[in-house]
Amino acid sequence: MFPISCFLLTPVPWGRKSKPLSFMVLLSLPLPQFSSQSLVAIDDDNWLEHLVRVVLEKISYFSDDDKEKAFLYKFFGFTLRTSRKISLVKTMLSSILQTAHKELQEREGIAVALSIVSMKHLTTVLDQLEVYSAALTDKNSSSILQLMKEHQQREWGLVCNTVYLSYSKIILESKGAIFMHLDAILALVLQHYHNCIVEKDKNLKLYYLNALTTLTSILSSQRKAFQFKFPHKLDIVNLMVELIREEPLNFISSSIRQMAMNIVTDFRNLRPLLEIEERTELLRTCFKGVLCLPPRDILCKEASSSKEAQAKLVLFKETLESLLRLMETLIIEMPTRIQYCLELLDTWLNSQKDNERERAMWCTARILGFTAKMNNFKTEIEFTRLGRLVRLLAIRCHDPVDNICFLSSQAVYNLYCILLQQKQMGRKAQGLWEEEGKHEVYSANVFYNNTFEIAKAFAEYFTQMQLTTLVLTAMEGLTDSRAKLSLAAAQLISGVMQERGRDMIKIEEIVEGILELLNLQLEPSTKEEIFRAMCLLAGNNTHIVVPMLLNRPLPWDRTNLALWNVFGTRRETTINVLQLLIGILENLHSKEETKEMAFQPVAVACALCEMLSGSLCQEAIQELYPRLLLAVLSHLYWVIEQNAPQKMVVYSKDGGPGSKSKPFDPTSCALEAVKLVLLAAAYDGVVSYANQHCCWDLLSCPKFYYIGIMDLTSNSWLPVSHPSGIVKNCEPAILHRILNLVRNLLSSFDVRRKILARTFYAQLLWHRSVAQTLGQDFLGNLIRWIKEPNLIMQEVGLRGISNLALHPGQSRSLKSLVPFLRDFLKSEVRVTVEAVKSLRNIICHGQGEDTKVVFSSISKQLWPLINDERDQVRIAATAALGHMLYRVDKFKPGSTLRKEIYTFLVPLLLSFQDNNAEVVKACGGALTKWTKVIGWSSLTQMFQHTTLSDHMQVLEETCKYLVSTCKKQFLGELLRQSFDFLKSPWPFLRAAAITFIGLTAKKINMNNIHEDDVQLLKNALESLRNDPVESIQSLVNTTLTNIDKYVKAGLVPTSKMSRLSINLFKVSGMKASEKKKRLFKTVRRERDDEDSQKNKVWNWLQTLNSLRSWRSGRVKITPLIVGDLQTTSTGSQAPNSKSPSEETEPVQKKVAPESLTVNI
């Protein structure tokens, strides 16, 4: 083959426009193959030296044709590479480095030539490059300083570019040997800048970075380099960080930031890797240098022309892209550190400047998206601060800038995809089924402006610490002046509480922090959402939250009250909180008493008052209703025994707009809690009844507390026990739940709880379903209680027996208790009243003839109670008698029982004179039933409608009826019975007895009464002349005067028939009869003498009757007046008139006039 040197050594010069054909042919030849086959064969260094010099001359000659010049550079390199003379190589390398390098083609040609030579003489080439680069740093030998100052920087940049371009070409041609020297090269790179001999301004930095980018871009593509360590890499990165930091933040005028970040990016895989601190500093500097730049509109505004403005925008966009590539590089380098990379963006994500937040969110979304698309999760990417990150992104989904909201939703979705893929990889590693389609449930659109969905999506991925961190950091955003962001923070807290509130830690810190924030001026919507979050937190962590709130000093402020109020709006929270509060009341009240009032039970009552005042969870209240009711009632008993001062305000209830709040002391607060429990459980009727019947007053007094419980549960005043309280309003299922609760407390060591339980137990027996509960020894329990010495237990036991008697099937067992119950008729007031009611119900609900037997057995013990000095006993006994008589009348009482019934008339009539309206009412009812049993129907209507204002008139009419209807000796029995009441310690009974005697004497013909009986009547009254009550003395004197008057008025005959009868007696020679009637029973002998005398008189009257018939048509009959009682008798009326003895019996049987006994 013809050698190329023949052409190069030809002395004929070429013109600029014409080139020899042979040279054109050489350009078309494969130069490496050609050189290897021709130049290697030339073993003459002198010839090669001459050839190389010629080539250099030709390189200088060819200035226009890039292709020809590039060929010459390559030819120079291949030619010099074949030389075995090192001195020649050095000389020629130094020579080519001194050639022109203003144009990029020239610099690239030099670099190519050196790279070719380095294939055989690598060390020599590197040494020559180092010598050549000394011009950059050595002021003494550098030719750069010999130039004019305005050209020095450019020349410095061209030299630097030539050197770094040469290094890059050598790296490309090297088979790995260069990497042994690369760290030294990097050291030289640092020296070139640090020891720069010219001014380091923006232009020089650009020259330097542009040249260095050439080197690093090639270096980053060499995988063999990853096997070596280059310690000076870290120094170069630090230098880049410094260059970025030096850039101004108020404008962008160069690509220094961009190139510096690109250089660091090129170093991504070179060892050693950056340490955490170095990475942190790098990112922080880059973020600050890019994100803090002015907004785009300001960047454009500062430009002198639209073209410059557009150029700045392009530059900024490229710089932002460089930052993104840098972040991606660092993620690839260390995937596990992604969260730290994102955390460094917090400053700008929370910036008050919209442009900074938007850029930071753009970076966040892109980085998370890049990570999600890596699709390589064999190395677990840990988000140890996931809570903080989610909080930040979730709040930004509500940013005032719409684009930030959009970017935030994208970032949230990308983060969710990362976590979901990690989860699926973990399940796959464990051999579990993959959750297909789970990632399709959510999207960026779902997360847009939807904090609740974000909390729901990420809840399962949080650790306990991450959950807590999320909440604590979100709390910081509650005070944000931007309402939308503060609401987003509150919603995030609420959403997390709803999904994972049970797994929260540091509850105390969270609660305290929220309470402090609630006292600040938060937005109404934010405050409402925080209350909801607290409700969820309390529902899941009741044992921590509730005691903290209870321990706050009383009375609570509005914030604390609002918290308790919101606890009643969610069923799960309501149940959990109520269970804890109930437990506190039950446990604390069962402990030993202390001298000072315990604080926590009072706080519980306050909490219940607020919690139940506006409850929306009626179902939850009803679920705990029996136990809750018993707990608050027991607490009420405990409070009233503490005798707390009424001025001690522990709770204040808002009275609404325009009205003052209502203060509550411990007792009134406990009462309010009882009311609200009933109202919250939808038992308004119980509260209404209690309001009307003073139950709250009874419950507020320790002495009458158990009475209040009785009235609150069921009022059994009437025999049919019309329930007006809990027993009436509650469903049977609730009553049985109450029964099961109180049954365990019947023998409690706590007296309060025992009284409460037994009272409920006894009252529950009113309901048939309770009384018929199988396996319960109700009667046995009640008997044991009434045998106890405690009067309250006796009363409660008797109330239970009274209720138990209402139900069929109990009469036989209860009948045997009657003798035992009779003993309680002489007990304390309330015990006696309950005993009367028990006997009443046994009789009223008894079966068959046993009813009459039981009534007969108690009648003698019952009638004294009608005039008992105690109003309650008197009313109860009288009312009970009426109902008993009604029941007895249904079984047709016989004569013996009727005789016993007669004994109740006088006690009832005398009690009828009481000024107590209740007594008068009860007497009216009893007398009505009494007249129906006896058969005095004409008095029934009068007694049935008696009032306190007309009871004296009723008594007078009754006495008139007795005188005109009954036999004298029956009247005498009634009068004698009234004598006992003249000795009563009660003035009104003594006065009533006197009045009864006086009215009876007024209506009867005292002239026909035996003198002994009149005297007996007067003697009974004479005993009260010296009564301590002056009104009674006056009444007695008046009555005695009237009796004397009645007797004397009958001594003057007013009838011709009377005078005629006297004359007939005289004519017959017989002693005239005095016709005196006996009111009171005498001995039998006296009665026989009187009967004999009456028979004699009867015979003489036959003659009188004949004479009377003869004169009847001729003589006008005049009225017969006896005393003050005027009776008109005519012949036509006589046959129709009834004798006084004819209505003595209700069956209207005729009896002999002289009969002195009543057949009952």
Side-chain angles (χ1 to χ4, degrees):
M1 182 176 292
F2 188 78
I4 190 174
S5 58
C6 295
F7 294 95
L8 296 176
L9 297 176
T10 303
V12 180
W14 301 327
R16 290 184 176 273
K17 300 299 181 180
S18 61
K19 301 178 178 62
L21 179 61
S22 60
F23 187 76
M24 299 301 296
V25 173
L26 287 174
L27 293 176
S28 63
L29 294 176
L31 187 57
Q33 182 180 4
F34 172 79
S35 298
S36 61
Q37 294 180 5
S38 59
L39 296 177
V40 174
I42 302 174
D43 189 14
D44 188 346
D45 290 335
N46 294 327
W47 186 85
L48 285 176
E49 180 179 357
H50 180 66
L51 178 60
V52 170
R53 293 184 182 279
V54 172
V55 172
L56 282 176
E57 293 177 2
K58 299 300 181 183
I59 290 174
S60 300
Y61 179 76
F62 289 100
S63 59
D64 294 335
D65 197 326
D66 296 340
K67 190 174 182 180
E68 296 172 357
K69 199 167 187 177
F71 170 79
L72 292 175
Y73 282 116
K74 291 180 181 179
F75 183 75
F76 175 86
F78 280 107
T79 302
L80 190 59
R81 185 182 70 174
T82 60
S83 175
R84 290 182 290 272
K85 187 176 180 181
I86 300 301
S87 59
L88 176 63
V89 174
K90 290 182 178 181
T91 302
M92 292 299 102
L93 289 176
S94 178
S95 299
I96 196 171
L97 288 172
Q98 298 300 326
T99 59
H101 50 256
K102 292 183 179 181
E103 302 296 332
L104 177 61
Q105 177 199 12
E106 296 171 341
R107 295 192 297 274
E108 288 183 346
I110 295 172
V112 169
L114 267 62
S115 66
I116 295 174
V117 176
S118 68
M119 296 172 66
K120 292 293 185 180
H121 307 284
L122 177 61
T123 303
T124 303
V125 173
L126 294 178
D127 291 341
Q128 290 303 309
L129 281 174
E130 182 178 358
V131 172
Y132 175 69
S133 63
L136 303 174
T137 58
D138 190 355
K139 294 181 179 182
N140 297 325
S141 61
S142 177
S143 60
I144 297 176
L145 297 179
Q146 297 176 6
L147 301 175
M148 297 180 65
K149 189 173 183 179
E150 58 268 21
H151 299 299
Q152 291 178 0
Q153 284 187 340
R154 174 169 175 73
E155 181 63 23
W156 190 95
L158 293 175
V159 173
C160 186
N161 185 266
T162 302
V163 174
Y164 294 168
L165 190 58
S166 300
Y167 285 141
S168 64
K169 296 297 183 180
I170 294 172
I171 292 173
L172 288 174
E173 297 295 336
S174 173
K175 296 182 179 180
I178 183 63
F179 298 120
M180 300 295 295
H181 307 276
L182 188 57
D183 191 58
I185 293 174
L186 296 179
L188 288 174
V189 169
L190 288 170
Q191 291 180 17
H192 295 161
Y193 182 79
H194 290 307
N195 300 327
C196 177
I197 61 175
V198 295
E199 182 183 0
K200 296 178 183 178
D201 59 5
K202 178 182 70 174
N203 293 328
L204 184 128
K205 292 177 183 178
L206 288 173
Y207 292 143
Y208 176 73
L209 292 175
N210 187 49
L212 184 56
T213 301
T214 304
L215 172 62
T216 56
S217 61
I218 297 298
L219 185 60
S220 64
S221 63
Q222 302 301 306
R223 291 188 173 274
K224 290 183 180 180
F226 304 160
Q227 303 173 7
F228 298 87
K229 283 187 177 182
F230 309 107
H232 286 91
K233 163 205 167 177
L234 302 179
D235 297 328
I236 293 179
V237 171
N238 292 333
L239 174 60
M240 297 301 105
V241 171
E242 186 63 29
L243 292 176
I244 296 173
R245 187 180 291 117
E246 291 174 356
E247 285 297 290
L249 298 178
N250 56 348
F251 63 91
I252 180 171
S253 59
S254 69
S255 59
I256 292 177
R257 297 181 182 87
Q258 175 188 355
M259 289 188 292
M261 289 186 289
N262 289 339
I263 291 170
V264 177
T265 302
D266 291 338
F267 278 132
R268 61 183 179 274
N269 291 320
L270 296 183
R271 299 169 61 193
L273 301 179
L274 296 176
E275 296 295 335
I276 301 299
E277 295 180 359
E278 294 169 339
R279 288 164 56 91
T280 300
E281 185 61 26
L282 168 64
L283 286 174
R284 184 179 288 113
T285 302
C286 292
F287 289 154
K288 183 177 181 180
V290 177
L291 302 181
C292 290
L293 289 172
R296 296 190 180 198
D297 55 342
I298 296 180
L299 291 177
C300 295
K301 187 177 181 180
E302 293 176 350
S304 58
S305 63
S306 59
K307 185 176 181 180
E308 182 183 352
Q310 185 63 31
K312 283 190 174 183
L313 292 179
V314 172
L315 178 59
F316 174 76
K317 182 178 179 181
E318 292 175 350
T319 304
L320 201 59
E321 291 289 346
S322 297
L323 175 62
L324 178 62
R325 286 194 298 272
L326 174 61
M327 295 177 66
E328 292 174 352
T329 297
L330 296 177
I331 291 172
I332 295 174
E333 181 180 320
M334 296 183 68
T336 59
R337 307 295 296 180
I338 181 175
Q339 76 163 355
Y340 296 98
C341 178
L342 296 175
E343 283 178 5
L344 294 175
L345 288 167
D346 281 2
T347 302
W348 295 275
L349 288 172
N350 293 310
S351 173
Q352 296 295 320
K353 298 179 179 180
D354 295 344
N355 62 298
E356 293 183 359
R357 294 199 311 276
E358 185 175 2
R359 293 165 185 170
M361 189 56 69
W362 180 84
C363 293
T364 302
R366 293 290 296 271
I367 289 302
L368 289 172
F370 172 79
T371 306
K373 293 177 182 178
M374 285 170 55
N375 203 24
N376 180 15
F377 294 92
K378 294 181 180 179
T379 301
E380 183 176 0
I381 301 176
E382 295 184 359
F383 290 95
T384 57
R385 299 182 182 180
L386 182 63
R388 184 185 298 273
L389 178 59
V390 172
R391 189 274 308 176
L392 182 63
L393 298 179
I395 291 179
R396 287 298 154 217
C397 285
H398 294 264
D399 196 276
V401 180
D402 289 339
N403 193 42
I404 297 178
C405 296
F406 173 76
L407 292 172
S408 299
S409 62
Q410 290 285 346
V412 171
Y413 178 67
N414 292 336
L415 177 61
Y416 174 75
C417 291
I418 295 171
L419 298 175
L420 181 61
Q421 291 182 64
Q422 283 186 325
K423 178 182 176 181
Q424 291 174 347
M425 289 290 292
R427 291 177 61 86
K428 187 176 181 180
Q430 298 175 9
L432 302 176
W433 290 98
E434 184 177 352
E435 296 178 322
E436 296 291 341
K438 182 67 178 290
H439 62 285
E440 298 178 359
V441 175
Y442 296 104
S443 66
N445 292 333
V446 173
F447 295 140
Y448 183 79
N449 276 336
N450 197 334
T451 312
F452 288 113
E453 287 296 333
I454 295 175
K456 183 179 179 181
F458 285 89
E460 63 176 297
Y461 299 103
F462 292 128
T463 64
Q464 286 185 311
M465 181 56 70
Q466 289 170 348
L467 280 171
T468 306
T469 302
L470 183 147
V471 173
L472 291 174
T473 54
M475 286 165 53
E476 299 172 0
L478 296 177
T479 56
D480 197 305
S481 59
R482 293 163 291 189
K484 195 175 180 182
L485 295 185
S486 64
L487 178 60
Q491 290 175 343
L492 182 62
I493 295 173
S494 180
V496 171
M497 294 294 186
Q498 183 170 358
E499 298 295 328
R500 293 281 303 281
R502 193 177 299 275
D503 300 324
M504 203 72 62
I505 57 177
K506 296 184 179 180
I507 306 297
E508 296 86 351
E509 183 178 351
I510 293 174
V511 173
E512 291 293 342
I514 289 179
L515 289 176
E516 291 181 7
L517 291 170
L518 287 174
N519 289 322
L520 302 177
Q521 294 296 326
L522 299 180
E523 290 291 330
S525 57
T526 301
K527 180 173 288 190
E528 181 180 353
E529 196 61 45
I530 284 299
F531 279 134
R532 180 174 179 270
M534 279 294 291
C535 179
L536 295 166
L537 182 64
N540 292 308
N541 302 274
T542 312
H543 61 290
I544 299 177
V545 177
V546 170
M548 288 184 65
L549 297 179
L550 289 176
N551 290 333
R552 300 183 73 83
L554 294 173
W556 292 324
D557 56 23
R558 290 187 177 182
T559 299
N560 286 274
L561 292 176
L563 281 174
W564 286 108
N565 187 277
V566 80
F567 289 167
T569 60
R570 180 175 175 268
R571 182 179 182 277
E572 293 78 6
T573 300
T574 303
I575 290 177
N576 292 341
V577 173
L578 287 180
Q579 285 178 335
L580 181 59
L581 297 180
I582 292 170
I584 292 174
L585 294 180
E586 292 175 344
N587 295 332
L588 289 180
H589 291 161
S590 62
K591 296 180 180 180
E592 295 183 359
E593 299 294 336
T594 57
K595 293 183 179 180
E596 296 183 358
M597 178 182 291
F599 171 81
Q600 199 170 45
V602 177
V604 169
C606 298
L608 288 173
C609 286
E610 192 63 29
M611 188 175 173
L612 304 179
S613 60
S615 177
L616 300 177
C617 293
Q618 187 178 100
E619 181 181 350
I621 303 299
Q622 289 178 342
E623 184 173 335
L624 298 172
Y625 165 68
R627 186 182 170 204
L628 176 60
L629 179 62
L630 292 176
V632 294
L633 286 172
S634 178
H635 168 70
L636 174 60
Y637 201 173
W638 173 82
V639 168
I640 59 179
E641 286 189 338
Q642 306 305 308
N643 195 24
Q646 294 183 352
K647 294 183 179 180
M648 179 190 292
V649 177
V650 296
Y651 172 66
S652 183
K653 188 173 184 180
D654 192 1
S659 59
K660 296 182 178 179
S661 59
K662 181 181 179 181
F664 290 84
D665 57 44
T667 301
S668 59
C669 182
L671 274 175
E672 184 71 9
V674 175
K675 297 177 187 178
L676 290 173
V677 168
L678 294 170
L679 292 173
Y683 295 119
D684 305 46
V686 179
V687 178
S688 298
Y689 169 79
N691 291 335
Q692 296 171 5
H693 294 81
C694 304
C695 289
W696 309 126
D697 294 335
L698 294 172
L699 290 172
S700 301
C701 179
K703 183 178 180 181
F704 302 115
Y705 170 83
Y706 74 99
I707 303 174
I709 295 296
M710 285 185 178
D711 289 349
L712 189 66
T713 49
S714 174
N715 185 357
S716 58
W717 181 267
L718 298 177
V720 291
S721 293
H722 293 283
S724 304
I726 295 173
V727 176
K728 175 182 178 180
N729 288 274
C730 291
E731 299 80 4
I734 296 293
L735 298 180
H736 281 275
R737 287 168 60 187
I738 297 176
L739 176 66
N740 292 333
L741 289 172
V742 301
R743 187 173 54 190
N744 300 325
L745 303 174
L746 297 178
S747 300
S748 174
F749 291 105
D750 186 347
V751 177
R752 292 187 300 269
R753 301 179 73 180
K754 180 166 65 175
I755 291 176
L756 176 64
R758 290 186 178 185
T759 304
F760 261 96
Y761 186 88
Q763 291 293 75
L764 288 173
L765 295 177
W766 177 91
H767 205 280
R768 178 171 297 182
S769 67
V770 176
Q772 294 178 348
T773 304
L774 299 177
Q776 299 292 325
D777 185 17
F778 293 118
L779 187 57
N781 288 332
L782 297 174
I783 293 174
R784 283 193 293 273
W785 299 350
I786 62 178
K787 288 182 178 179
E788 294 183 11
N790 189 308
L791 293 177
I792 293 179
M793 297 306 173
Q794 293 178 7
E795 181 180 351
V796 172
L798 289 169
R799 173 63 68 91
I801 292 175
S802 176
N803 288 330
L804 197 62
L806 300 174
H807 311 294
Q810 301 288 343
S811 59
R812 179 173 299 179
S813 58
L814 293 175
K815 177 185 175 183
S816 61
L817 282 179
V818 172
F820 177 59
L821 296 178
R822 280 200 310 250
D823 296 338
F824 290 96
L825 295 178
K826 300 178 181 179
S827 185
E828 186 267 343
V829 176
R830 295 196 59 85
V831 175
T832 301
V833 170
E834 291 301 330
V836 169
K837 293 180 181 179
S838 298
L839 293 170
R840 173 200 67 187
N841 286 353
I842 292 174
I843 292 173
C844 291
H845 297 275
Q847 302 297 322
E849 296 296 323
D850 288 345
T851 300
K852 297 189 292 184
V853 175
V854 174
F855 178 76
S856 178
S857 67
I858 68 169
S859 61
K860 292 183 179 180
Q861 289 80 17
L862 182 61
W863 76 259
L865 299 180
I866 295 174
N867 306 111
D868 194 273
E869 59 186 11
R870 299 164 295 185
D871 287 348
Q872 292 181 356
V873 174
R874 195 159 63 251
I875 295 171
T878 305
L881 174 63
H883 297 294
M884 292 178 186
L885 292 174
Y886 176 81
R887 182 66 175 174
V888 169
D889 188 40
K890 291 184 178 295
F891 297 98
K892 304 302 180 184
S895 60
T896 303
L897 184 57
R898 290 169 62 84
K899 183 177 181 180
E900 294 178 1
I901 293 174
Y902 274 115
T903 62
F904 288 99
L905 179 58
V906 173
L908 289 173
L909 288 175
L910 297 186
S911 287
F912 203 59
Q913 312 309 307
D914 200 334
N915 290 325
N916 189 321
E918 292 294 326
V919 175
V920 173
K921 181 179 178 181
C923 287
L927 285 169
T928 301
K929 301 297 189 303
W930 189 92
T931 57
K932 289 182 179 180
V933 174
I934 299 303
W936 292 359
S937 57
S938 58
L939 294 180
T940 302
Q941 190 72 14
M942 179 180 65
F943 287 130
Q944 194 169 6
H945 299 91
T946 300
T947 62
L948 183 62
S949 61
D950 60 0
H951 65 273
M952 287 299 297
Q953 181 180 354
V954 171
L955 179 61
E956 185 174 358
E957 292 295 327
T958 303
C959 291
K960 179 180 179 180
Y961 181 84
L962 291 174
V963 170
S964 63
T965 305
C966 300
K967 295 186 300 182
K968 295 295 187 294
Q969 289 197 354
F970 178 70
L971 284 175
E973 290 296 326
L974 298 179
L975 290 171
R976 186 182 292 276
Q977 195 175 2
S978 68
F979 292 168
D980 294 335
F981 292 96
L982 296 175
K983 303 174 183 179
S984 172
W986 285 82
F988 95 88
L989 280 179
R990 298 198 301 272
I994 296 171
T995 303
F996 175 74
I997 294 171
L999 290 174
T1000 303
K1002 178 180 179 181
K1003 301 302 180 182
I1004 199 172
N1005 187 354
M1006 294 299 296
N1007 190 42
N1008 289 336
I1009 303 302
H1010 197 280
E1011 293 84 353
D1012 294 341
D1013 292 345
V1014 174
Q1015 190 59 45
L1016 181 63
L1017 193 65
K1018 295 172 65 176
N1019 291 340
L1021 294 173
E1022 289 284 351
S1023 63
L1024 293 178
R1025 282 187 178 273
N1026 297 320
D1027 193 275
V1029 179
E1030 293 183 1
S1031 60
I1032 293 180
Q1033 294 179 16
S1034 176
L1035 182 60
V1036 167
N1037 293 332
T1038 302
T1039 304
L1040 288 173
T1041 303
N1042 289 337
I1043 291 175
D1044 291 338
K1045 179 180 178 181
Y1046 302 150
V1047 172
K1048 292 178 181 180
L1051 296 179
V1052 180
T1054 59
S1055 172
K1056 292 182 178 181
M1057 283 298 299
S1058 298
R1059 292 194 295 270
L1060 180 60
S1061 297
I1062 295 173
N1063 292 332
L1064 286 174
F1065 279 113
K1066 291 181 178 179
V1067 172
S1068 64
M1070 294 181 59
K1071 185 177 180 181
S1073 174
E1074 296 179 357
K1075 298 183 182 181
K1076 301 295 185 181
K1077 302 293 183 179
R1078 299 303 301 257
L1079 283 174
F1080 307 112
K1081 292 182 180 180
T1082 59
V1083 294
R1084 185 67 182 173
R1085 182 177 57 82
E1086 293 178 352
R1087 293 179 57 191
D1088 291 342
D1089 292 343
E1090 185 177 346
D1091 290 343
S1092 176
Q1093 183 68 20
K1094 286 182 178 181
N1095 288 332
K1096 292 179 181 181
V1097 173
W1098 185 257
N1099 291 331
W1100 282 101
L1101 286 176
Q1102 297 298 323
T1103 304
L1104 180 62
N1105 288 335
S1106 299
L1107 181 61
R1108 184 181 180 183
S1109 299
W1110 174 75
R1111 289 180 57 85
S1112 60
R1114 303 173 62 182
V1115 181
K1116 184 178 179 181
I1117 303 301
T1118 58
L1120 176 63
I1121 301 174
V1122 181
D1124 290 339
L1125 182 64
Q1126 179 175 332
T1127 304
T1128 303
S1129 178
T1130 63
S1132 60
Q1133 292 174 335
N1136 296 329
S1137 63
K1138 295 181 180 181
S1139 66
S1141 63
E1142 288 179 349
E1143 283 195 8
T1144 302
E1145 291 291 330
V1147 293
Q1148 304 296 320
K1149 290 184 179 180
K1150 292 184 179 181
V1151 294
E1154 57 272 8
S1155 177
L1156 300 177
T1157 60
V1158 180
N1159 182 22
I1160 299 178

